[in-house]
């Protein structure tokens, strides 16, 4: 009998008992299955891989491909009936599972003038990044914020939130949620509000005035627990900061001018489970290749770039670089541990989110820059 037939999972050099047949072992496995037992040594290499076993694939959704489907959805179902009229950016490696990466959900939500997406709350944390159109609102905890392209808005876990559009344009934003994480923990709760839209109890801009002027209230106050008390980070401010840094403060070779969104009460991530950042690449800037175990969803805000994604040496798509030419309002996914290189054709601004805070908390985040 060949050694490999008997000991498929054996470590090199391991002592082997050649008198045992594969059938004897299979019999044992068959007998123990009804007892709820299974042998680790048959699965150890898959359970504890030497390199990340990545199902997430590189993916690109062109705005010109997506927008007509959003328009069609707008004709065929109301926001109220749908509750949330969203087209999920489903990763080809996770078809049927509503995931953009293994841990993150992303979708594009459309709300037409006059519509309301009714108030509800859930354990999942959500971010909104405004992609197209102006004048819709999100309400969180009694405060509304009017959405402008590029604004980053948080709906903290277990807070009532509703969306509406009292403007004159259709509005589309990117939804990012930790849905797969909460599902993994089997810990999701949700409730519908008795009110269609929650009552407005605070003037627009109150949370930003209280927490977003590099100042904090004199008395301790943390309305959303571990989540940032600022629930709208206006694009105009973030972009101005990045433009200043790009012009006057030098560029990070792997990221250009880049800043992360912060919880001003802790200095930590704005959302406890999701890292969010904005970066600006000057015209012609070519980043160095970087990779991180945190799979990432990108939204192109302005400009255009060539994105080169190189998957790890093992697994589907191994080693062959994928190259996307991306423009404003496009979305793309960089899988965990894939190399990412960006070349800006013209000045380019990118928003992105990942599961880095969870990996950091677990001590498993790896980042590599060439
Ligand atoms: O707006 O609350 O894309 O609950 C998916 C689930 C959006 C939302 C989504 C949600 C929401």
């Amino acid at each position: 009998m060949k050694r490999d037939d008997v000991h498929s999972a054996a470590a090199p050099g391991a002592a082997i008992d050649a008198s045992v047949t594969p059938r004897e072992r299979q019999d044992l496995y068959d007998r123990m299955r009804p007892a709820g037992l299974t042998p680790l040594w048959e699965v150890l290499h898959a359970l504890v891989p030497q390199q990340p076993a990545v199902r997430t694939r590189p993916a690109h959704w062109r705005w010109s491909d997506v927008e007509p489907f959003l328009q069609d959805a707008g004709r065929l179902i109301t926001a109220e009936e749908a509750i949330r009229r969203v087209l999920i950016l489903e990763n080809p490696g996770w078809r049927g599972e509503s995931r953009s990466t293994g841990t993150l959900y992303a979708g594009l939500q459309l709300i037409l003038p006059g519509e309301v997406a009714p108030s509800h709350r859930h354990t999942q944390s959500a971010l909104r990044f405004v992609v197209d159109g102006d004048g819709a609102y999100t309400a969180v905890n009694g405060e509304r914020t009017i959405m402008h392209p590029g604004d980053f808005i948080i709906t903290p876990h277990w807070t009532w939130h509703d969306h509406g559009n009292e403007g004159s344009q259709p509005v589309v934003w990117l939804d990012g949620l930790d849905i797969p994480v909460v599902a993994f923990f089997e810990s999701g709760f949700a409730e519908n509000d008795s009110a269609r839209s929650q009552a407005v109890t605070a003037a627009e801009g109150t949370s930003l005035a209280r927490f977003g002027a590099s100042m904090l209230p004199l008395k301790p106050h943390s309305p959303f627990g571990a989540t940032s008390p600022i629930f709208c980070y206006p694009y105009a401010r973030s972009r101005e900061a990045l433009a200043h840094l790009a012009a006057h403060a030098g560029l990070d070779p792997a990221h250009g001018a880049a800043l992360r969104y912060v919880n001003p009460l802790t200095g930590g991530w704005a959302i406890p489970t999701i890292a969010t950042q904005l970066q600006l690449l000057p015209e012609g800037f070519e980043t160095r290749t970087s990779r991180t175990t945190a799979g990432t969803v990108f939204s192109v805000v302005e400009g255009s770039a060539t994105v080169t994604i190189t998957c790890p040496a093992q697994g589907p798509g191994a080693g062959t670089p994928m190259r996307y030419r991306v423009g404003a309002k496009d979305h793309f996914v960089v899988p965990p541990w894939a190399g990412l290189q960006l070349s800006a054709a013209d000045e380019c601004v990118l928003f992105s989110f990942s599961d880095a805070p969870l990996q950091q908390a677990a001590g498993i985040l790896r980042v590599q820059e060439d």
Side-chain angles (χ1 to χ4, degrees):
M1 177 157 322
K2 281 212 321 260
R3 185 190 153 107
D4 284 357
D5 295 338
V6 186
H7 289 271
S8 57
I16 287 178
D17 179 357
S19 67
V20 178
T21 65
R23 167 156 302 259
E24 281 178 280
R25 290 189 173 160
Q26 192 55 52
D27 286 347
L28 171 64
Y29 308 159
D30 292 346
R31 281 189 289 115
M32 68 170 74
R33 186 169 303 111
L37 298 170
T38 195
L40 168 64
W41 57 89
E42 290 292 316
V43 292
L44 181 60
H45 52 292
L47 288 187
V48 187
Q50 295 194 329
Q51 294 285 319
V54 179
R55 245 178 93 171
T56 304
R57 308 292 312 129
H60 176 206
W61 295 266
R62 236 178 248 100
W63 177 246
S64 58
D65 293 334
V66 172
E67 196 198 11
F69 291 115
L70 281 167
Q71 282 178 8
D72 285 351
R75 271 199 307 278
L76 295 178
I77 190 162
T78 64
E80 193 129 21
E81 189 192 345
I83 304 184
R84 298 292 185 263
R85 189 203 284 116
V86 180
L87 300 186
I88 301 171
L89 303 180
E90 200 168 67
N91 191 282
W94 295 100
R95 284 328 300 252
E97 299 202 40
S98 306
R99 304 187 201 199
S100 305
T101 72
T103 54
L104 295 169
Y105 160 102
L108 290 169
Q109 180 159 178
L110 167 69
I111 191 150
L112 296 170
E115 287 192 318
V116 166
S119 180
H120 71 182
R121 64 176 176 174
H122 38 69
T123 348
Q124 293 82 0
S125 293
L127 68 86
R128 329 283 167 190
F129 189 78
V130 184
V131 169
D132 190 51
D134 217 298
Y137 68 83
T138 284
V140 170
N141 217 25
E143 184 180 333
R144 281 186 183 179
T145 188
I146 303 289
M147 300 169 132
H148 310 288
D151 288 354
F152 164 61
I153 293 161
I154 300 173
T155 46
H157 52 75
W158 208 242
T159 51
W160 297 110
H161 55 280
D162 52 271
H163 317 293
N165 186 345
E166 295 176 353
S168 57
Q169 305 169 5
V171 175
V172 176
W173 64 81
L174 172 69
D175 281 328
L177 288 91
D178 54 8
I179 287 173
V181 174
V182 176
F184 175 76
F185 287 117
E186 301 180 286
S187 57
F189 294 88
E191 278 179 3
N192 289 321
D193 204 347
S194 50
R196 187 164 166 262
S197 305
Q198 62 183 281
V200 176
T201 56
E204 188 182 357
T206 300
S207 83
L208 197 61
R210 196 173 271 143
F211 297 102
S214 302
M215 304 176 87
L216 291 176
L218 301 186
K219 295 183 179 152
H221 180 55
S222 176
F224 305 132
T227 305
S228 173
I230 303 172
F231 76 97
C232 178
Y233 296 72
Y235 184 59
R237 286 195 191 182
S238 311
R239 198 202 188 290
E240 187 186 351
L242 293 182
H244 181 98
L245 293 175
H248 304 293
L251 297 163
D252 181 306
H255 305 287
L259 293 170
R260 66 182 176 89
Y261 295 93
V262 69
N263 176 344
L265 293 175
T266 63
W269 302 101
I271 302 173
T273 50
I274 305 176
T276 48
Q277 68 167 51
L278 195 71
Q279 68 193 104
L280 183 149
L281 309 175
E283 180 179 345
F285 186 75
E286 303 202 348
T287 70
R288 291 204 191 138
T289 300
S290 63
R291 57 179 180 162
T292 161
T293 49
T296 307
V297 180
F298 282 83
S299 182
V300 184
V301 196
E302 298 178 43
S304 56
T306 302
V307 180
T308 306
I309 301 172
T310 311
C311 288
Q314 277 97 22
T320 329
M322 297 290 297
R323 199 155 278 140
Y324 305 134
R325 179 71 195 247
V326 301
K329 305 176 194 181
D330 283 8
H331 293 82
F332 61 95
V333 163
V334 181
W337 216 225
L340 169 65
Q341 195 276 322
L342 298 162
S343 300
D346 40 35
E347 186 179 65
C348 188
V349 181
L350 302 162
F351 169 81
S352 59
F353 67 97
S354 80
D355 63 10
L358 294 172
Q359 295 206 32
Q360 247 170 3
I364 59 172
L365 183 70
R366 285 202 196 192
V367 176
Q368 202 178 65
E369 290 172 11
D370 286 356

